[in-house]
Amino acid sequence: LPRPKLAAILASPWVVLYMWLGGFTPSLLRAGIMLASWAFLLLCNKGRVLVDGVCLAVLLIMLVSPENIFSISFQFSVLAVTGIIFLVPPIQSWLQSHANNNIYWRIFNYGALILAVSIAANLAILPLQIWNFGIITIHLYYNILWLPILGFIVLPLGFSGLFLTQIPILAPLGDKILKIMGWILENGYTGLKALDEHGWLQCLQVLRPQWPEVIGFYILLILFLLVWRYRKNLQKNIITILAIGLILLCVPLFSATLTERQQKLRLLVVDTGMSQAVYIDFPGGKRILIDGGGSWSNDFDVGKAFILPVITWGMPPALDAVFLTHSDCDHLRGLLYPMETCRIGTFYFNGCYPTSLWDRQRLITALAQNNIPREKCCAGQRIILGKDIIVEILHPEDNLLNLSNNNRSLVLRLMVNGKGRVLIPGDIEQEGIANLLTRNQTLQADVLILPHHGSITSYSTALYDNVSPKVAIAAVGQGNRYGFPAAKVTTTLRQRGCPVLTTAKCGAIEITWGKNDARMNIRMMRDAGRDVLDNPNKDYAYVEQ
C-alpha cells in the first residue's frame, strides 16, 4: 500500500482509542468524522481528498445533528481546518522554492511550517473569534515550542505510561513515565502563568465586526488565494482586487460611524444579573460607561464577559469617560477589565476607593498603568461631553462623607439640548434621597434608573414626582433573593403612568432618542416586558427586539 493509505489504516484504531479516552466529546467526534472522511476518500482513490473530506465531514455532521450549525466550536473547527488546507500551501511552496540541505534550514523550515499552520487556522477563524469574543492574540509563536513538545513528548509518554500501568510487572515504570509527563505539563502551565503575569500573553481588544465586515474579510482572503494561484493572469489587476476587498472590509465601519451613531442618543442598560451597568452613545460619537456591573465572586469577570463585547460592537475599544457611582462590587468589578484593556478618557468617582484590597489594588493598577486621569466628583459639577451634552453631578456634597456607602453614590443626570434624558442615582437610599431633593428643585428626566435596584429602602414618592419619568428601569437578577424591585415601588410608579422595566424580565434594555425627537424608541433583548408598556403611547414606541 502507498504510505498515505497505510497511515490512514494504521491510525484508525489510535484515533478511536483517543476519542474513547476523551469521552467522545463533540469536538473529538467532529475530529474523528473529519479524519474518517479523509481516510475513506483516500482509500477510494479520490482526488482533492482534503477539500472534499471537509465537505463530506460537514455533510455527515449536519445530517446527524443539524443544530451544530449554531455551535461556535463547530464553526471554528471547520474554518480552522479549511484555513490550513488553503493557506498553508502558499507558504509551503515558498519554503520549498528556497530549500537546501542545510540542517539549520531544515530546523527553520519545520518551525516555519508549525507557525504557518497556527497562523492559517487563526486567520480563518479571526472574524468569528472577534465577533464572539472581541479579542485576538499575537502570541502564536509559542506553538513553535509547544506543539512539538505535545506531539513528540507528552502524548507518547502518556500513551506508553497508560499501557505499562496495565501490566503488573511494568506498572511502577508506567507510573514514573506518567509522573514525568505530569511534570512537563505542570511546568508548562507554570511557565505560561509566569508569562501571563508579565504581560507576555496579553490579548488585544479590538472592534467587534458586523456582518458586512465579516463578509468583506473572507472575500479579501479568497482574493488573496486567487492572486497567489493565478498571479500571472491577475498581475495587472492586483491593485484593483485589493482595493475592492479593503472597501468591503472598511465601508461598514465608516458607515456606522458617520450615520446612525452620529444622529441619535442611545441608552443601553446591560443585563449583568444582580448588578448594574449603563452604557451611553451620544450624537457625535462620544461614549461613556456608568458602572460596570459585577459579581461578589472573583472567579467570573462580568467586564470581560458582558461589558467589553458591548463597548467594542462595531466601535473601537475606547470610552470618553467612565463613571463609578460607588465602590460596591456589583457596580465596580465590571469596570475593571475595560479599564485595563481599553483607552479611557477620564475616570469619575466620588473619591471613595473600594474597601476590598483585591478590588482596590486592581483599580489603582488599571488607572496607573493606562495613565487614566481620575477626578473626584461632588454636587454642582457639570461635565461637558460635547455640544449641548452635559452630565450633571447632583449628589453627594463634598461634606457628606459621613453617609453610608450607598448614600454616597454619585447621582448623575444626563442633559441633552437642555432636556433631562436619564437620571442615574446609583444605590442611593432614603437618607441620600432626602438630601438630594433638598438641594435640587427639579430632577426631571425621561428615564429613571431606579435607585438601589428598586429596593424598598430607596422608595420615595417625592423622588418619583420630582423626576416624573416616562419609563423606569430596574437592573436586577432573575429571581433575586432580595425581591428587587419591590412591589411597592413598581405599583407606585405604574399608578403614576410610568411603566417599570427590569433586566431580569427584558434582558438588555435599549432606549434611543432621535436627533430632534423627544419620543423614545424602546427595544429589549427579550420581549417579555412588553406587556407593561402602554401601547400606543405618545412618549415612547416599542421596537421589535
Side-chain angles (χ1 to χ4, degrees):
L1 285 175
R3 280 186 296 176
K5 292 184 178 181
L6 184 62
I9 294 171
L10 295 179
S12 298
W14 296 97
V15 169
V16 175
L17 175 63
Y18 192 79
M19 293 167 65
W20 173 74
L21 286 172
F24 292 101
T25 60
S27 60
L28 286 179
L29 284 172
R30 286 195 295 268
I33 292 172
M34 212 168 271
L35 285 167
S37 300
W38 286 328
F40 172 76
L41 294 176
L42 188 66
L43 294 173
C44 292
N45 298 314
K46 300 293 183 181
R48 301 182 306 180
V49 169
L50 291 177
V51 177
D52 290 352
V54 171
C55 296
L56 177 60
V58 170
L59 176 63
L60 292 173
I61 292 170
M62 294 299 298
L63 287 175
V64 174
S65 182
E67 69 273 10
N68 269 296
I69 192 68
F70 301 108
S71 167
I72 296 175
S73 58
F74 173 70
Q75 296 167 6
F76 278 14
S77 297
V78 174
L79 285 173
V81 173
T82 305
I84 292 170
I85 292 172
F86 283 105
L87 297 177
V88 171
I91 300 173
Q92 199 169 15
S93 175
W94 182 86
L95 289 171
Q96 289 175 351
S97 67
H98 294 77
N100 58 56
N101 292 324
N102 189 303
I103 184 64
Y104 300 109
W105 173 260
R106 291 182 180 179
I107 295 173
F108 169 79
N109 184 71
Y110 179 73
L113 279 178
I114 292 176
L115 186 59
V117 169
S118 297
I119 292 174
N122 281 273
L123 195 62
I125 67 172
L126 184 62
L128 288 189
Q129 177 186 341
I130 300 174
W131 176 299
N132 287 285
F133 304 108
I135 58 173
I136 59 173
T137 177
I138 59 172
H139 304 292
L140 301 177
Y141 46 82
Y142 288 119
N143 284 341
I144 296 176
L145 176 64
W146 175 243
L147 290 180
I149 291 176
L150 179 67
F152 296 119
I153 301 177
V154 172
L155 287 178
L157 286 175
F159 278 117
S160 59
L162 178 66
F163 285 117
L164 291 175
T165 55
Q166 306 307 308
I167 304 173
I169 193 172
L170 297 176
L173 176 61
D175 288 337
K176 289 182 179 179
I177 291 175
L178 289 177
K179 287 180 180 178
I180 293 172
M181 183 196 73
W183 179 85
I184 294 172
L185 290 173
E186 186 176 349
N187 281 274
Y189 173 77
T190 302
L192 289 173
K193 188 176 180 181
L195 290 170
D196 191 31
E197 289 173 350
H198 287 82
W200 295 341
L201 287 180
Q202 188 173 3
C203 293
L204 301 178
Q205 305 300 326
V206 293
L207 174 150
R208 294 176 63 215
Q210 299 179 28
W211 67 264
E213 293 159 300
V214 173
I215 294 175
F217 176 87
Y218 283 118
I219 289 178
L220 195 61
L221 206 58
I222 292 170
L223 289 176
F224 164 77
L225 291 171
L226 290 173
V227 169
W228 167 73
R229 186 163 184 175
Y230 305 106
R231 50 187 175 274
K232 290 183 180 179
N233 297 329
L234 298 175
Q235 193 169 10
K236 295 180 180 179
N237 301 315
I238 286 178
I239 295 178
T240 303
I241 294 172
L242 182 63
I244 293 172
L246 290 174
I247 289 171
L248 289 169
L249 189 63
C250 298
V251 161
L253 171 62
F254 291 115
S255 175
T257 303
L258 295 175
T259 57
E260 181 178 329
R261 295 186 184 277
Q262 296 290 324
Q263 300 299 323
K264 67 182 182 181
L265 170 68
R266 173 175 174 256
L267 165 76
L268 180 67
V269 181
V270 187
D271 181 10
T272 57
M274 193 58 235
S275 60
Q276 181 171 298
V278 180
Y279 171 73
I280 303 175
D281 275 335
F282 295 99
K286 297 282 187 179
R287 301 186 295 150
I288 67 172
L289 180 64
I290 301 172
D291 293 337
S295 67
W296 297 101
S297 170
N298 295 342
D299 298 329
F300 181 71
D301 195 326
V302 169
K304 185 176 183 179
F306 297 146
I307 305 303
L308 200 72
V310 169
I311 294 172
T312 55
W313 179 241
M315 296 295 284
L319 291 167
D320 295 281
V322 166
F323 292 83
L324 174 63
T325 59
H326 65 299
S327 59
D328 280 0
C329 296
D330 58 330
H331 292 251
L332 164 70
R333 286 186 173 171
L335 291 179
L336 298 175
Y337 190 79
M339 290 176 65
E340 292 166 346
T341 56
C342 297
R343 190 176 69 255
I344 307 296
T346 307
F347 173 69
Y348 298 96
F349 70 132
N350 63 3
C352 298
Y353 289 92
T355 55
S356 162
L357 182 61
W358 185 86
D359 291 328
R360 184 186 183 93
Q361 288 181 339
R362 193 174 170 193
L363 174 60
I364 292 174
T365 300
L367 291 168
Q369 289 184 346
N370 295 316
N371 298 315
I372 302 173
R374 72 192 81 176
E375 185 173 330
K376 176 185 173 182
C377 298
C378 58
Q381 284 184 254
R382 291 162 59 89
I383 299 168
I384 300 174
L385 295 175
K387 183 181 179 182
D388 298 323
I389 301 173
I390 298 170
V391 175
E392 294 182 334
I393 312 296
L394 305 176
H395 179 84
E397 289 182 305
D398 200 28
N399 60 352
L400 290 181
L401 295 182
N402 59 324
L403 294 173
S404 67
N405 193 43
N406 279 351
N407 282 312
R408 288 200 299 263
S409 296
L410 291 180
V411 177
L412 311 172
R413 182 166 66 156
L414 174 63
M415 302 291 293
V416 178
N417 296 322
K419 298 176 182 178
R421 293 304 190 194
V422 189
L423 184 71
I424 304 173
D427 277 356
I428 194 172
E429 296 176 299
Q430 288 176 353
E431 183 181 2
I433 291 172
N435 184 281
L436 173 69
L437 292 171
T438 300
R439 291 195 323 275
N440 295 277
Q441 293 183 352
T442 177
L443 301 171
Q444 183 279 323
D446 293 342
V447 179
L448 171 64
I449 307 297
L450 286 177
H452 200 200
H453 314 277
S455 73
I456 195 65
T457 59
S458 64
Y459 174 81
S460 172
T461 56
L463 176 67
Y464 308 149
D465 291 339
N466 195 318
V467 178
S468 188
K470 299 172 183 176
V471 174
I473 298 175
V476 295
Q478 180 71 37
N480 66 86
R481 61 191 176 98
Y482 308 105
F484 295 165
K488 188 176 181 180
V489 172
T490 57
T491 300
T492 300
L493 282 163
R494 286 172 183 168
Q495 288 173 348
R496 285 162 166 74
C498 174
V500 177
L501 305 177
T502 69
T503 53
K505 193 172 184 179
C506 306
I509 300 168
E510 179 189 72
I511 299 179
T512 57
W513 292 262
K515 188 174 182 180
N516 298 307
D517 188 5
R519 186 177 173 87
M520 300 182 295
N521 294 311
I522 301 175
R523 191 168 64 154
M524 311 169 192
M525 180 61 70
R526 300 187 294 271
D527 61 3
R530 182 178 182 177
D531 57 340
V532 305
L533 295 175
D534 297 325
N535 205 0
N537 186 294
K538 61 179 173 49
D539 294 323
Y540 54 79
Y542 176 79
V543 181
E544 291 297 329
Q545 60 178 347

